[in-house]
Amino acid sequence: MERVALVTGGSSGIGLASARALKAAGHKVSIVDINAETGQSIAASEGMHFVQADLTRQTDCQHADEDTVRALDELDILVNNAGMQHRAPLEDFPEQTWDKLIALMLTAPFLLTKYAWDYLIRSGHGRVVHIGSAHSLTASPYKVGYV
């Protein structure tokens, strides 16, 4: 059965691979990314919907869910994948960057899930997937905001 999936960070890496896998499984896919040019290009070539959003902003999280439903009629699967990292020694790590990391990788998945909740429940098939990655089993130098 065809479902509708929203994948954040869907223009590259794990997000793009997830979006492609969902599309290959027969689902309609909406990719959400901050990069409008790349996102629009990928969505057009892959037959997906694109939503440009800065997920560090509450209003953009709400817009991503609502735009997906408006364009694709429902929302069944939410893949919270968007992320970033900043490499710097702790003493040089900008506090504003820390705030942005927390907003993108902790607050955004909470908000996206909250705003999608009614759609997911109504679908009768709602699923939420949170993506996390680690490049190794040990911490890497200067990745205090990532590992």
Side-chain angles (χ1 to χ4, degrees):
M1 172 181 251
E2 183 180 66
R3 305 287 182 190
V4 173
L6 181 157
V7 180
T8 67
S11 292
S12 63
I14 295 168
L16 180 55
S18 299
R20 284 177 171 158
L22 288 160
K23 180 78 173 160
H27 303 305
K28 294 189 271 185
V29 177
S30 178
I31 58 173
V32 178
D33 208 282
I34 195 167
N35 187 326
E37 185 177 333
T38 302
Q40 289 169 344
S41 175
I42 288 170
S45 68
E46 303 272 346
M48 300 177 192
H49 177 69
F50 175 69
V51 180
Q52 193 280 328
D54 177 351
L55 297 177
T56 66
R57 299 188 329 217
Q58 174 271 333
T59 54
D60 281 19
C61 291
Q62 188 169 11
H63 167 73
D65 286 343
E66 290 173 352
D67 187 87
T68 296
V69 172
R70 201 170 19 259
L72 302 178
D73 298 323
E74 59 188 87
L75 180 56
D76 304 287
I77 304 163
L78 171 61
V79 180
N80 286 310
N81 166 73
M84 62 177 279
Q85 64 174 290
H86 179 82
R87 294 176 59 121
L90 179 62
E91 62 273 15
D92 297 330
F93 202 98
E95 293 170 14
Q96 299 86 348
T97 302
W98 177 259
D99 291 342
K100 187 173 182 178
L101 286 165
I102 295 298
L104 180 60
M105 297 191 296
L106 293 178
T107 305
F110 164 75
L111 291 173
L112 286 156
T113 304
K114 177 181 177 178
Y115 299 136
W117 197 250
D118 286 343
Y119 304 121
L120 296 169
I121 296 297
R122 192 171 33 231
S123 83
H125 184 80
R127 302 291 189 266
V128 179
V129 179
H130 299 292
I131 302 293
S133 65
H135 298 284
S136 68
L137 297 176
T138 59
S140 302
Y142 310 128
K143 289 189 178 179
V144 297
Y146 193 73
V147 295

